[in-house]
Structure formats: structure tokens, C-alpha cells
Amino acid sequence: MRRTIEDRIALSLIWGGASLTIIFLVWMLWHILANGLSYVDWTFISANYSVTDKENSGIWPMIVSTIYMVILSIAIAAPIGIMTALFLTEYAKPGSKVVKVIRFCTESLAGIPSIIYGLFGMTFFVVTLGLGFSILSGALTLTILILPVIIRTTEEALIAVPLAYREGSYGLGASKIYTIWRVILPSAMPGIITSVILSTGRVIGESAPVFLTAGMVARIPDSVLDSGRTLTVHLYKLTTELYTVHDWNQAYATATVLIVLVLAINLVTKLIGRRLNKATY
Amino acid sequence: MNKFDVKDLNLYYGENHALKGINLPIPERKVTALIGPSGCGKSTLLRTLNRMNDLIENVKITGNVSLDGNDIYQERNVGGLRMKVGMVFQKPNPFPMSIYENVAYGLRAQGIRDKKVIDEAVENALRGAALWDEVSDRLDGHAFGLSGGQQQRLCIARAIAIQPEVILMDEPTSALDPIATHKIEELMEELRKDYTIVIVTHSMNQAKRISDKTAVFWMGELVEHGETAQIFNSPQDERTKGYVNGDFG
């Protein structure tokens, strides 16, 4: 009898934990969407931001800045990260000093609070390199921030490539670089794409390191050397300056757009992953 | 005429002395079978012949292995060696790409781009591996859509597409059913006319059926070697007797 009572308690605790997680997620989503969705319309998405004309104010510049930021930081971080992962798995001796040092660095990088990246980016990219508060400074800062994610995930994908493929390729006299290009990278592609999309989520989600390096100018940047305000920074700005009910509504509407964006990215990741898996197996 | 000459070969995996003073001639255009119980070093020896052991950390080799009189461990161009000495593995390991691309892989790796040349080589290799009739209408299909036996013949086609001189086979039928095994053995009857074949096998019957020469291994040592019939009918060494009679192993 005791046993069944213990079982029941354990079971209810497990169920309780699982349900709490789901309840909080649904609650939060519902809360944001309920408060924000009704303010998301075409004008809100496509109009320029205006402090004075709050009726017709929109978030188009922030969407553009966010897209710039994502493309630029991924374009810089992905090649560096993939090459580092290739070095760690294919070239360096497993367990050697170099591998340990690089691993330690990436793990430490992953644990640093993101605002510290912002501080570093501001002093180094903005001031020392003279890039100013710009999309480029922001993207470079975010590059350092997402590198550990890309390296880690790509490394795992590369390690998972069966040894039999490598043996088959080397057995035909193929060179290392040819083997990597034709067999190893394509097999690891689903994992690499996952890492890129995870990083995209991270770039969209960060606020502190972005406004410390890219500034907060709320118009479409002329170039990568111009300042820009991403959606998340915009949300931060709105919530810290809640003067009117309009600001409040705009904040929720921006949050809604962000959530839809992140959900869409998650969905696309899964679809691509499944598609590639089908292609390979 | 000997294709390979293995002389005083020792191989260590770290502390583990895996091959002990091996001396073995491997004749040209004959099938040489390497047999012996698990862990006796037969696969390790096979992998020294195309320097596949180079891929493993902490391997130390002494003595020498020569191919047509040239020590392959002095060779700098390991890729070139492996183009001459092809390999078929225990588990079929086609690449995750189309049937055509699998066979064309070795040619493309050599930098051959001419579509006509590749088309022709792919067809010849698939015919040579007795697979052409089964796949000629779906060359663009994925290699993983083939059965296990077909995949192994695809791997043989992939190996012969680059026209090697030697084919090493590491228990090529151990993952296949009897019918697929029979097909591979039939294929080997054809291949032996053009290639030197070295095959590691667990099956004594297979060694009897297909090989001209047999070498018996025991805990890293080469116990005896010679004509297959002689090894099976009148073995000299007690260990060989026990092994071929199925007393152990």
C-alpha cells in the first residue's frame, strides 16, 4: 500500500511540474498576444516610427535593423564558427592542448553575461576601432556572442558523421579537404543549419549588447555603419518610457511581432531539419 | 610475381603489440584470404596494405610493406597509394548521395570533370560489380534506397571505378544474407581475373570457396600460409588444425 501512495505522490509531482511549465508558457503567450495582437496591423508593420504621431507610428525601421543585424552577424560568425569546429574535429589531435584551450574559451564565452559583451563591443568596436554606434559594431559584438553556440552545435554535428564515410572516402584516395567538402559537411548540414537558426534566435533576442554598440536610432539605417534599433531594443526602449497608453499598446504589439518571429524560426528549423534528414537517410 | 611483400612487420596500438613479425608475400591476380579468430590481427594487417591505419592515433609500425617492390611507408602520396589499392569494408558504407555520384566519387576526387569520361567509367564499374542491370534506370536514386547486398556491390563498383590494381575486402559479406553473399562471391570470381584481391573473412567455407592462398593468424602472429587447399587439407601447425576443424574461433 505504501508503495502505491509513494507512486501517486511522485506521479502527481511529475505531472504538476510538467503542467506548470505548459501553463506558464501558454499563459505568457496568451497574455502577450491578447494585449498586442489587436494593435498589429499593416500600418504598424510598414510605417516609420514616430514619437509625435502615435496613431500612425510603426516598427518598419526596427524590422529592417533586425534583419540587417541577423544577416551580418550570421555572415561573419557562421564561417568562423564552422571553420573552428572543423579544426577541432578534423584537424587538431583529440585531447591536445589547442583543443582544450579552444574548448575552454568557447565554454567560458558562453557563460559570460551578455551585457559584458556589450561593454566590450562599445569600448573596442565603437571607440577603439572607430566604427561608431552602428549595425556593424552591433553585428561584430553579437558575432562573439553567438560563436560558442555555432562552434558547439557544429562540432557535435561533425562528430556524429559516421567514421565509415571518412574511411570510404580516404579509401578511394580522396584528400582530406575533398572528404570534408563532399561527405562530412553535407552530412553535418542539418546540425549546422540548426546552429545557425539557434543563433538567429539569439541575435533577435539580445537587447543590452545591441543598444550599447548599435545605438537606438529609430530610422532605417543608411548603411551598416549607421546606427539602428532592433525590435528587442525597441521593446526595451518602449517599456522604459511608458508615458501613454499608446506606448503600452505599442510595446505589446512589438512583443507580439517578436514572438511570432521566434516561433516562425523554430518551425522553419524543424522543417529544414526534417527535410534534410529525409534527404540523407 | 608478388604484388605485396610484407617483411618483419610489427604494429603497435599504443602498448598493444597487434602484429608480431609478419612475413607474407601476396601474389598478383590471386585471391589471398586472411583467416583466424577475432582479434588475431587479420583486419589490422589488411589495413596496413593501404595505410588505413594512418587514420588511427598512436599506431607505430616497424618493418616494411612493399607494393611492386616499393615500400609504401616511404610513399608520400598516400592518396595515390589508395587509388591503386582500393578497399571494401565490412558494413556497406555508400556515401549519402545518388548511386551515380557514389561511383563517380573517386574519379571526381582525382579532379576528373569530363562528363563523358565519368559516365563511361560509372557504367563500366557498375557492370563490373554486376549491379548495372538492377540500377541502370535509377542512377540518380539515393544509394540508401538499395538493399544491403546491392549497397555492398555499389561499394565494390565505387572501388573499381578508379581502376585500382588491388582490392582489399574486410569481411565484405559478414553483414549480408546468404543470397547476397553468394552474389558477391560470384562477383569475386570475375574480379580475380583483373585484380589482386586480399580478403579478410570469418567464414572458413568462404575462404575455401574463393581463395587461392590462405594465411592463418593467431594472436597477432602469422601461423602459416600457403595454397588454400594445403592449409585446409594438411595444416602443419596445431593451431591451424584446431581452427580449420572448427575446434575454436
Side-chain angles (χ1 to χ4, degrees):
Chain A
M1 279 313 277
R2 258 181 64 96
R3 195 163 188 108
T4 38
I5 291 171
E6 277 171 5
D7 271 352
R8 273 191 197 155
I9 293 172
L11 198 67
S12 51
L13 282 176
I14 290 164
W15 269 98
S19 341
L20 263 183
T21 313
I22 296 172
I23 288 170
F24 275 125
L25 181 72
V26 173
W27 184 11
M28 204 181 71
L29 280 179
W30 179 80
H31 178 75
I32 303 270
L33 294 179
N35 284 298
L37 206 53
S38 54
Y39 300 97
V40 179
D41 54 16
W42 183 241
T43 321
F44 180 70
I45 288 174
S46 65
N48 276 330
Y49 180 66
S50 164
V51 186
T52 44
D53 181 10
K54 290 194 169 163
E55 287 294 333
N56 295 311
S57 172
I59 55 165
W60 181 239
M62 293 70 173
I63 292 178
V64 173
S65 294
T66 307
I67 293 171
Y68 277 178
M69 197 65 85
V70 168
I71 293 176
L72 198 58
S73 51
I74 296 288
I76 303 169
I80 300 175
I82 292 168
M83 280 192 268
T84 309
L86 276 174
F87 172 76
L88 288 173
T89 55
E90 307 298 322
Y91 286 91
K93 259 196 182 153
S96 71
K97 228 179 198 144
V98 202
V99 174
K100 277 185 190 150
V101 169
I102 295 181
R103 257 212 199 115
F104 178 76
C105 288
T106 50
E107 266 157 30
S108 311
L109 275 176
I112 295 173
S114 63
I115 194 153
I116 294 177
Y117 287 92
L119 200 62
F120 169 78
M122 191 165 72
T123 47
F124 186 66
F125 296 123
V126 176
V127 180
T128 312
L129 291 188
L131 297 173
F133 289 104
S134 62
I135 296 284
L136 184 59
S137 298
L140 287 169
T141 309
L142 289 172
T143 294
I144 309 174
L145 189 103
I146 61 178
L147 262 180
V149 182
I150 296 188
I151 294 172
R152 228 20 234 254
T153 322
T154 306
E155 214 188 328
E156 271 157 30
L158 290 172
I159 289 171
V161 176
L163 178 66
Y165 291 174
R166 294 164 218 253
E167 285 188 335
S169 178
Y170 292 133
L172 289 166
S175 63
K176 189 163 208 168
I177 196 77
Y178 190 81
T179 305
I180 289 174
W181 192 246
R182 281 293 307 280
V183 177
I184 298 178
L185 276 181
S187 307
M189 208 34 97
I192 295 173
I193 288 179
T194 309
S195 82
V196 165
I197 294 182
L198 279 176
S199 319
T200 308
R202 194 82 202 271
V203 169
I204 294 175
E206 283 299 340
S207 54
V210 183
F211 68 70
L212 284 177
T213 51
M216 297 201 184
V217 176
R219 61 178 166 73
I220 296 175
D222 300 325
S223 73
V224 290
L225 288 172
D226 201 2
S227 170
R229 185 194 288 190
T230 64
L231 282 169
T232 319
V233 172
H234 185 54
L235 181 59
Y236 168 80
K237 187 86 171 146
L238 287 174
T239 47
T240 45
E241 294 170 3
L242 290 174
Y243 296 121
T244 65
V245 72
H246 270 294
D247 293 327
W248 186 258
N249 295 338
Q250 286 216 348
Y252 272 106
T254 309
T256 303
V257 172
L258 268 170
I259 281 183
V260 170
L261 209 62
V262 171
L263 284 180
I265 287 172
N266 265 321
L267 212 69
V268 169
T269 323
K270 291 225 168 96
L271 283 178
I272 292 177
R274 218 173 285 163
R275 203 44 184 287
L276 284 172
N277 266 330
K278 249 190 216 146
T280 339
Y281 293 106
Chain B
M1 176 65 195
N2 288 335
K3 192 67 183 168
F4 280 106
D5 244 314
V6 180
K7 287 222 174 79
D8 300 322
L9 184 74
N10 284 287
L11 185 143
Y12 305 83
Y13 292 123
E15 294 292 302
N16 178 16
H17 196 174
L19 290 176
K20 299 169 186 164
I22 307 292
N23 284 288
L24 179 68
I26 293 172
E28 190 166 16
R29 289 180 204 238
K30 293 258 175 359
V31 178
T32 303
L34 312 181
I35 63 171
S38 298
C40 66
K42 55 192 191 298
S43 280
T44 304
L45 178 71
L46 189 78
R47 284 163 173 260
T48 59
L49 302 179
N50 68 342
R51 293 187 56 176
M52 221 50 183
N53 285 320
D54 286 16
L55 302 182
I56 306 168
E57 297 287 323
N58 286 326
V59 169
K60 214 188 97 199
I61 288 173
T62 66
N64 70 64
V65 177
S66 51
L67 172 65
D68 297 325
N70 303 313
D71 188 348
I72 62 170
Y73 284 87
Q74 301 300 322
E75 180 69 58
R76 274 159 191 246
N77 182 5
V78 181
L81 166 72
R82 291 182 185 144
M83 285 173 202
K84 275 196 247 171
V85 185
M87 192 163 202
V88 176
F89 298 84
Q90 187 169 355
K91 257 182 77 188
N93 62 343
F95 301 126
M97 46 184 86
S98 72
I99 293 168
Y100 180 94
E101 283 305 323
N102 260 285
V103 184
Y105 188 91
L107 298 156
R108 293 202 201 279
Q110 290 177 23
I112 296 169
R113 293 254 150 66
D114 191 335
K115 196 173 171 331
K116 254 200 196 143
V117 174
I118 295 178
D119 279 348
E120 209 184 295
V122 167
E123 181 173 342
N124 287 337
L126 285 169
R127 284 188 191 283
L131 191 59
W132 176 256
D133 295 339
E134 292 161 57
V135 301
S136 60
D137 56 339
R138 48 167 172 157
L139 292 176
D140 290 328
H142 203 280
F144 292 179
L146 299 173
S147 71
Q150 288 174 324
Q151 287 189 12
Q152 194 62 304
R153 276 180 283 147
L154 179 65
C155 291
I156 294 173
R158 187 174 73 180
I160 60 180
I162 53 174
Q163 302 181 320
E165 295 162 17
V166 183
I167 305 174
L168 308 177
M169 298 186 163
D170 191 356
E171 299 188 34
T173 59
S174 66
L176 305 180
D177 62 64
I179 294 167
T181 300
H182 180 66
K183 275 197 177 151
I184 302 263
E185 288 183 6
E186 270 182 352
L187 173 58
M188 287 173 66
E189 284 300 318
E190 289 301 311
L191 295 174
R192 70 195 302 166
K193 295 171 190 159
D194 302 312
Y195 305 96
T196 302
I197 297 177
V198 187
I199 179 172
V200 164
T201 177
H202 239 102
S203 151
M204 253 131 6
N205 288 326
Q206 186 169 57
K208 251 192 259 182
R209 283 194 299 266
I210 57 169
S211 70
D212 305 294
K213 304 269 180 183
T214 297
V216 185
F217 288 80
W218 183 266
M219 297 181 75
E221 286 173 49
L222 175 59
V223 174
E224 68 178 296
H225 66 93
E227 297 293 327
T228 298
Q230 181 246 314
I231 295 284
F232 282 96
N233 297 331
S234 50
Q236 304 299 308
D237 192 286
E238 281 303 316
R239 290 168 292 184
T240 313
K241 257 179 222 167
Y243 185 66
V244 299
N245 289 333
D247 294 349
F248 45 76

